[in-house]
Amino acid sequence: MEQPFERQAHVVCKIHSNGDHEYWVDGTLLDLGDSLRHVHHSPTGFRHGYGGSGPGQLAFAICLALYQDVVVAKTVYMKFKWTYVQYWPIDEGFDHLVQVPVDPVRLWNLTDDYQHRLEFAQWQEEQRVLLAEEAEEESRRWPEGLDPSLLLSKPVEERPLSKRDQLMLALAPYFVDFEFSLPSRPAKGLCRLLVVPELALVICSEHPQNPSMSVTNAAEYLFLQITEAYNLDRDEVTWIEHYAFENERVAPEFDFVEFHQLGGGAYRPDWHNPTDELIPLLEKALYHKKGLVA
């Protein structure tokens, strides 16, 4: 008998009086701590209804619950976020039956980007298992209370790099720190920024020492301040949001962000999956920064 193409998943969100969000998939409560063992977007909790870090954490947890496979979940969860999670009504509880693919990797096609995600997820899981085994072995040799993970001497191999990531490494010296202000917050935020005025291109990257709101949550404020600082035409800007995640060993993320004018000088951001234009844009940015374009 041929395997069905899709199946229904029962996804429930309950919001408590204190604002806590609780999510269930097919009758099982999602555990934030379990999902954070594999991806580290939002240690403060799951969320839905927009394209930020909380929805990313939720999408991974849902995919892990649905497919019971860390590698598959890591490969497809960002697609799941953009397909489903960002559209669920923000700050509202819900009880949905969602049509999900039985074989998401095959359904969503392994483009170069997804192939790289799959390879990275496989490598990442192998490294996690390796480190866990080493930690367990070391724990037998050291006094109780000493963290054996601090004593591991075996080097961890470098993660595989896609062409996209190689281009970002080449562009890294051209990024600058950019301070941004936020209403009702005394502390300024900090991001890493690459602007190519000739292309009307902005790559806004989360700074590891950012003391304030993330570049996702502060997107509309960053858009106004950066376009003003660099005298960019707001109707022409191509905006790429980037998370490196070097410390968490999570695959780097790229999102295209479109800003829609609402009136009164305000803009609403919408996040989209990277398209085939990403690598050519990065190549053009590198050519311009190296002075190879007249």
Side-chain angles (χ1 to χ4, degrees):
M1 184 176 179
E2 188 175 348
Q3 187 183 41
F5 184 67
E6 290 185 329
R7 74 172 183 86
Q8 284 190 331
H10 188 200
V11 183
V12 175
C13 171
K14 299 177 182 178
I15 302 180
H16 298 283
S17 57
N18 63 357
D20 287 349
H21 289 49
E22 191 176 271
Y23 294 89
W24 299 73
V25 174
D26 293 335
T28 299
L29 178 65
L30 296 183
D31 181 78
L32 176 64
D34 185 50
S35 69
L36 286 170
R37 290 175 56 234
H38 304 286
V39 302
H40 199 273
H41 295 301
S42 178
T44 57
F46 300 128
R47 285 297 185 272
H48 65 271
Y50 60 100
S53 54
Q57 196 73 46
L58 175 61
F60 174 78
I62 291 174
C63 287
L64 186 60
L66 288 175
Y67 301 115
Q68 298 293 305
D69 187 311
V70 173
V71 171
V72 170
K74 285 183 177 178
T75 305
V76 303
Y77 77 99
M78 292 306 293
K79 178 72 172 180
F80 190 93
K81 180 177 83 168
W82 297 125
T83 304
Y84 302 104
V85 178
Q86 72 162 335
Y87 294 112
W88 294 336
I90 191 168
D91 291 332
E92 294 182 19
F94 58 79
D95 187 331
H96 291 328
L97 287 175
V98 181
Q99 291 294 122
V100 296
V102 171
D103 185 350
V105 174
R106 186 177 63 182
L107 175 65
W108 285 327
N109 298 323
L110 282 177
T111 61
D112 288 344
D113 186 61
Y114 272 85
Q115 181 65 47
H116 176 63
R117 277 189 174 276
L118 182 63
E119 292 170 357
F120 180 86
Q122 290 168 336
W123 167 85
Q124 190 180 33
E125 187 61 13
E126 290 168 1
Q127 293 301 310
R128 189 186 69 80
V129 171
L130 173 65
L131 289 175
E133 290 174 349
E134 286 192 2
E136 183 178 356
E137 182 179 346
E138 291 288 346
S139 67
R140 301 191 189 102
R141 306 178 185 175
W142 297 95
E144 186 176 353
L146 184 63
D147 182 0
S149 66
L150 301 176
L151 305 167
L152 298 179
S153 57
K154 186 174 181 179
V156 178
E157 64 181 276
E158 293 293 326
R159 68 176 177 83
L161 289 178
S162 66
K163 183 176 181 180
R164 177 197 64 188
D165 295 337
Q166 292 173 28
L167 286 166
M168 285 298 290
L169 283 175
L171 284 167
Y174 302 103
F175 276 78
V176 297
D177 288 355
F178 183 86
E179 280 192 338
F180 58 94
S181 57
L182 295 163
S184 74
R185 291 207 179 194
K188 288 191 173 183
L190 186 65
C191 68
R192 298 284 291 158
L193 187 64
L194 177 73
V195 177
V196 187
E198 301 88 345
L199 302 175
L201 174 65
V202 174
I203 303 178
C204 187
S205 182
E206 181 71 13
H207 198 293
Q209 277 82 50
N210 179 19
S212 187
M213 196 179 287
S214 71
V215 296
T216 298
N217 293 332
E220 57 267 41
Y221 305 112
L222 281 162
F223 178 70
L224 293 172
Q225 293 171 46
I226 290 170
T227 52
E228 181 178 357
Y230 286 86
N231 194 28
L232 300 174
D233 185 339
R234 288 172 180 161
D235 293 330
E236 300 296 328
V237 166
T238 298
W239 190 281
I240 298 173
E241 189 175 278
H242 170 248
Y243 281 79
F245 295 127
E246 292 96 341
N247 294 331
E248 292 86 355
R249 298 185 180 279
V250 177
E253 281 186 16
F254 295 81
D255 293 308
F256 281 102
V257 188
E258 291 183 11
F259 292 89
H260 305 279
Q261 191 166 9
L262 301 177
Y267 285 80
R268 175 178 60 83
D270 281 329
W271 287 263
H272 303 282
N273 276 329
T275 67
D276 293 338
E277 299 173 2
L278 178 59
I279 288 178
L281 270 174
L282 296 179
E283 289 176 333
K284 289 178 183 177
L286 185 59
Y287 293 154
H288 277 276
K289 288 301 181 182
K290 286 184 173 292
L292 301 177
V293 177

